[in-house]
Amino acid sequence: MIAKLNGIGEQALKDVAEAGSLDALEQVRVAVLGKKGALSEVLKGLGTVTAEERPKIGAVANDWKRKLEGALEDRKAALESVALEARLQSERLDASLPARLPHRGSLHPVTTTTRRIIEICAKLGFDVMTGPEIETEFLNFDAVNIPADHPARDMQDTFFMGPGVLLRTHTSSVQMRAMRSQSWPVRILCPGAVYRCDSDATHSPMFHQVEGLWVDRDVKMSDLKGVLSTLARELFGAEAKIRLRPSYFPFVEPGAEVDVSCFQCKGTPQSGCRICKGTGWLEILGAGMVHPRLLELAGFKDAGSGLTGFAFGMGVERIAMLLHQIPDLRLMFQGDVRFLRQF
Ligand code: DAH
């Protein structure tokens, strides 16, 4: 039996030395020291030996057990340090590799276009003034000369919040707020969101406008044209020209729709210009001379006669779409980063 134990022990020592991995080492341990391992199997025969021999055999078995446990421990430590070394080699950190930067985000085209318009007009002396998006029916409609039976007031076009209260349908609602909150001259620009019951490729239930208002002694239509020409040149390039077409808006008289020469075909109608559809012109805003009724309602008491003004209003998305050649208004509001990253 002692010879058998010695044989098992010698072989196991060899196996431990040869084990090439932690897994292989564990297999060696189980095979010799495990509950059903070779050592235990031999010791099962202890019952058949004499009482005299039994302690000697037990001592030999314990000896081997201790020796093998020590060998296993040493080999395990050696294998672990080899594995660690290999991992350190393979995972070497290259601190000189440029980092992959996170995307920093960018300003929405509605924001950049609004800011650009404000920047241009600020140089012409306009201050920014904002008004509430939830507005009274009075300031949105009555105060800008839109009578009670005007179709624009229809529930189909306007989001009413309750009797006499609505989501403003245009930033012209800020005109009367401006005129009543300060004395003349008034020279303000009001950017902001507006709301209408309308939704398709060119209409959104929420969109943005910028309203301009200039009231002073002897303000003329030529002043309006000067401001709008400057705005068009700054926005669309030095060659941009404007033209005014007579049009009707209840809050101005006379009123006009304003076109800018097409920045693509430079205002020379060419068949095939997709931007202006071959007309050479792009409609960008509405404008006119402030209706006398508004000035009356504003009640500039100290002004006497001779106070006049002009106003203009434009859709920010429309201008952004022209500047960036964005084909569908809805892209502006879908929040798709693939779209937004382009700006
Ligand atoms: N409020 C008009 C709209 O929403 C735009 C507009 C037209 C504003 C003419 C003006 C103006 O100040 O004079 O369509």
Side-chain angles (χ1 to χ4, degrees):
M1 230 167 150
I2 286 178
K4 235 184 198 172
L5 286 174
N6 286 341
I8 289 169
E10 307 286 359
Q11 183 57 46
L13 275 183
K14 241 190 250 166
D15 290 347
V16 167
E18 279 165 16
S21 69
L22 289 169
D23 278 349
L25 191 66
E26 176 63 7
Q27 275 173 30
V28 173
R29 189 191 68 78
V30 172
V32 62
L33 296 178
K35 258 196 205 127
K36 290 179 183 157
L39 224 53
S40 314
E41 288 302 318
V42 174
L43 293 177
K44 274 181 193 161
L46 269 182
T48 62
V49 301
T50 63
E52 206 178 300
E53 272 181 287
R54 212 172 288 156
K56 284 185 200 156
I57 296 172
V60 171
N62 276 337
D63 229 32
W64 274 115
K65 204 174 159 204
R66 229 175 296 123
K67 222 187 257 175
L68 286 170
E69 276 170 355
L72 281 161
E73 205 54 49
D74 293 347
R75 184 73 189 140
K76 190 172 171 209
L79 284 172
E80 273 173 353
S81 88
V82 169
L84 180 65
E85 193 53 41
R87 218 179 106 197
L88 289 176
Q89 285 297 327
S90 73
E91 290 181 3
R92 170 165 287 159
L93 194 70
D94 181 357
S96 70
L97 197 68
R100 219 174 288 150
L101 294 175
H103 184 67
R104 284 175 60 210
S106 49
L107 291 172
H108 194 282
V110 167
T111 305
T112 53
T113 306
T114 305
R115 288 190 185 173
R116 186 82 193 100
I117 294 166
I118 290 173
E119 201 176 81
I120 297 163
C121 292
K123 282 192 244 170
L124 299 173
F126 286 84
D127 286 329
V128 171
M129 174 174 172
T130 53
E133 291 173 25
I134 297 174
E135 185 56 281
T136 62
E137 189 173 4
F138 175 77
L139 287 173
N140 192 83
F141 290 133
D142 301 87
V144 287
N145 200 30
I146 301 176
D149 58 359
H150 194 281
R153 292 209 187 189
D154 200 292
M155 297 282 282
Q156 303 260 301
D157 303 312
T158 307
F159 291 108
F160 280 92
M161 308 281 293
V165 183
L166 44 74
L167 291 177
R168 67 179 177 195
T169 60
H170 55 182
T171 42
S172 303
S173 61
V174 189
Q175 284 195 17
M176 196 54 66
R177 285 182 178 275
M179 290 193 282
R180 286 189 163 179
S181 68
Q182 61 191 83
S183 74
W184 61 280
V186 174
R187 207 180 296 165
I188 50 120
L189 204 64
C190 349
V194 300
Y195 302 83
R196 288 180 203 175
C197 285
D198 212 346
S199 186
D200 60 35
T202 51
H203 297 90
S204 156
M206 187 279 304
F207 60 103
H208 299 81
Q209 289 188 333
V210 175
E211 183 87 9
L213 177 69
W214 185 322
V215 178
D216 202 348
R217 276 250 152 82
D218 212 20
V219 173
K220 298 191 218 50
M221 194 103 181
S222 51
D223 298 314
L224 168 64
K225 215 177 160 188
V227 165
L228 295 180
S229 304
T230 306
L231 184 63
R233 278 197 305 270
E234 294 282 331
L235 277 177
F236 295 101
E239 298 139 63
K241 291 185 178 52
I242 59 162
R243 73 173 182 189
L244 275 62
R245 281 178 291 107
S247 186
Y248 175 71
F249 299 99
F251 28 92
V252 284
E253 182 56 38
E257 275 173 325
V258 181
D259 299 338
V260 64
S261 52
C262 178
F263 52 85
Q264 185 70 39
C265 62
K266 305 294 174 214
T268 45
Q270 285 170 353
S271 58
C273 176
R274 277 195 287 137
I275 309 277
C276 65
K277 304 201 175 70
T279 63
W281 296 96
L282 300 160
E283 188 190 324
I284 52 163
L285 55 88
M289 299 307 292
V290 178
H291 196 290
R293 237 185 256 168
L294 269 73
L295 295 174
E296 219 172 280
L297 195 61
F300 294 110
K301 290 203 180 66
D302 58 334
S305 59
L307 211 57
T308 55
F310 66 74
F312 57 89
M314 68 195 109
V316 178
E317 282 81 0
R318 169 147 177 85
I319 292 181
M321 283 171 80
L322 289 171
L323 286 174
H324 300 290
Q325 309 196 8
I326 299 165
D328 190 324
L329 175 64
R330 288 169 290 201
L331 286 165
M332 299 269 198
F333 305 115
Q334 284 164 348
D336 188 326
V337 289
R338 292 169 301 178
F339 170 76
L340 296 171
R341 270 184 191 165
Q342 298 174 54
F343 303 99

